[in-house]
């Protein structure tokens, strides 16, 4: 059966997570990372995401009512979570990859993120906000044969839990069909150059997916931090000197 048929028949069900689900959610989280991220990260890097951690990392998101599970025969196939204005978690097990379940969970999470937010968002307004060259925030667009293929931004504010740090690199995206061509690296290096020209001495980035890029560009891993129920790796990069 297709995903829609399984959802319609009840073979796959979506429901809010409860605290008793935390061990199963954690197991699905590990299963997803250790198998679906194997081509992008080393075993040591992936193991570090879970070092010293347990199912308790998902307690805050579950208790706040932010998490939705997808189940089949009592097995958690995937889950998502959102806060107003932001999708914070989205993972599926390897057996569900390519089935469309991830896209369906993303749709659920986006709808949840819009609840209680000031609106559905305005991409044009956000891009205009970054359209400057002599002050923060600023954004860079990469073009290939005249067509946009990537974006990365530098902003003053980052994690609310670390207000003393900044500026922050974020909002990074490269067209899926053009990844591993050096586009992300080129954007990051140019952001570093521009930040240094503006007098900045150190940059920060918190990521769950770009650690290898940061390491290739000489960034230093500081520690893991929690944000929105997700574990992120915190990096910094001294400029100049």
């Amino acid at each position: 059966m297709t995903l829609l048929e399984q959802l319609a028949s009840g073979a796959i069900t979506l429901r809010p997570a409860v605290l008793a689900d935390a061990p199963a959610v954690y197991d699905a989280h590990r299963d997803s990372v250790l198998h679906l991220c194997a081509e992008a990260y080393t075993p040591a890097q992936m193991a570090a995401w879970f070092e010293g951690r347990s199912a308790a990392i998902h307690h805050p998101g579950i208790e706040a009512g932010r998490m939705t599970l997808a189940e089949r025969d009592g097995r958690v196939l995937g889950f998502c979570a959102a806060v107003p204005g932001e999708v914070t978690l989205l993972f599926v097990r390897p057996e569900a990859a390519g089935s469309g379940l991830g896209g369906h969970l993303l749709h659920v999470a986006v709808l949840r993120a819009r609840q209680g937010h000031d609106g559905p968002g305005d991409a044009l307004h956000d891009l205009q906000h970054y359209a400057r060259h002599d002050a923060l925030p600023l954004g860079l667009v990469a073009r290939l044969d005249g067509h946009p293929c990537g974006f990365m931004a530098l902003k003053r504010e980052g994690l609310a839990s670390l207000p003393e740090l900044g500026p922050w690199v974020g909002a990074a995206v490269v067209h899926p069909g053009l990844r591993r061509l050096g586009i992300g690296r080129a954007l990051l290096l140019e952001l570093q150059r521009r930040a240094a020209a503006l007098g900045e001495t150190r940059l920060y980035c918190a990521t769950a997916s770009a650690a290898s890029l940061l390491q290739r560009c000489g960034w230093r891993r500081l520690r893991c931090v929690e944000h929105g129920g997700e574990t992120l790796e915190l990096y910094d990069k001294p400029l100049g000197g």
Side-chain angles (χ1 to χ4, degrees):
M1 289 191 293
T2 66
L3 174 66
L4 291 179
E5 289 172 337
Q6 292 184 75
L7 290 167
S9 68
I12 292 180
T13 59
L14 270 62
R15 65 170 177 84
V18 297
L19 203 55
D21 293 317
V25 170
Y26 183 69
D27 182 68
H29 189 176
R30 285 179 55 88
D31 194 19
S32 178
V33 170
L34 296 179
H35 290 87
L36 299 181
C37 296
E39 292 186 2
Y41 298 95
T42 67
Q45 287 173 324
M46 293 186 292
W49 292 2
F50 299 100
E51 184 178 354
R53 304 189 181 279
S54 68
I57 64 172
H58 292 299
H59 287 182
I62 292 174
E63 291 177 322
R66 299 195 298 258
M67 186 177 292
T68 300
L69 302 183
E71 284 185 321
R72 182 171 60 205
D73 298 326
R75 176 175 168 81
V76 175
L77 290 181
F79 62 95
C80 63
V83 297
E86 180 181 1
V87 174
T88 57
L89 290 171
L90 177 61
F91 291 91
V92 296
R93 288 189 185 272
E95 66 212 61
S99 69
L101 181 61
H104 190 79
L105 285 170
L106 177 60
H107 178 69
V108 171
V110 168
L111 291 177
R112 293 293 303 274
R114 288 179 174 175
Q115 295 175 1
H117 194 44
D118 291 334
D122 187 333
L124 179 59
H125 176 272
D126 291 343
L127 287 173
Q128 290 172 337
H129 185 59
Y130 289 116
R132 61 180 72 193
H133 303 283
D134 56 355
L136 301 186
L138 64 85
L140 297 178
V141 175
R143 290 179 176 270
L144 184 64
D145 296 330
H147 299 285
C149 62
F151 179 82
M152 193 175 292
L154 186 64
K155 56 185 180 178
R156 188 66 63 187
E157 302 81 12
L159 300 185
S161 59
L162 298 170
E164 71 279 9
L165 303 184
W168 295 79
V169 171
V173 62
V174 174
H175 189 286
L178 298 174
R179 290 172 184 167
R180 300 190 178 183
L181 297 179
I183 296 170
R185 184 176 187 275
L187 285 166
L188 181 57
L189 293 179
E190 179 61 15
L191 269 187
Q192 292 175 194
R193 187 192 70 79
R194 295 196 180 203
L198 291 173
E200 303 295 342
T201 59
R202 188 178 301 270
L203 301 181
Y204 294 87
C205 183
T207 180
S209 59
S212 60
L213 169 62
L214 295 173
Q215 291 167 9
R216 290 196 303 272
C217 291
W219 286 59
R220 176 182 62 168
R221 183 181 183 276
L222 299 177
R223 62 183 185 275
C224 287
V225 294
E226 299 294 330
H227 177 65
E230 183 179 14
T231 300
L232 304 178
E233 293 182 84
L234 178 64
Y235 283 80
D236 78 337
K237 172 66 175 179
L239 302 176

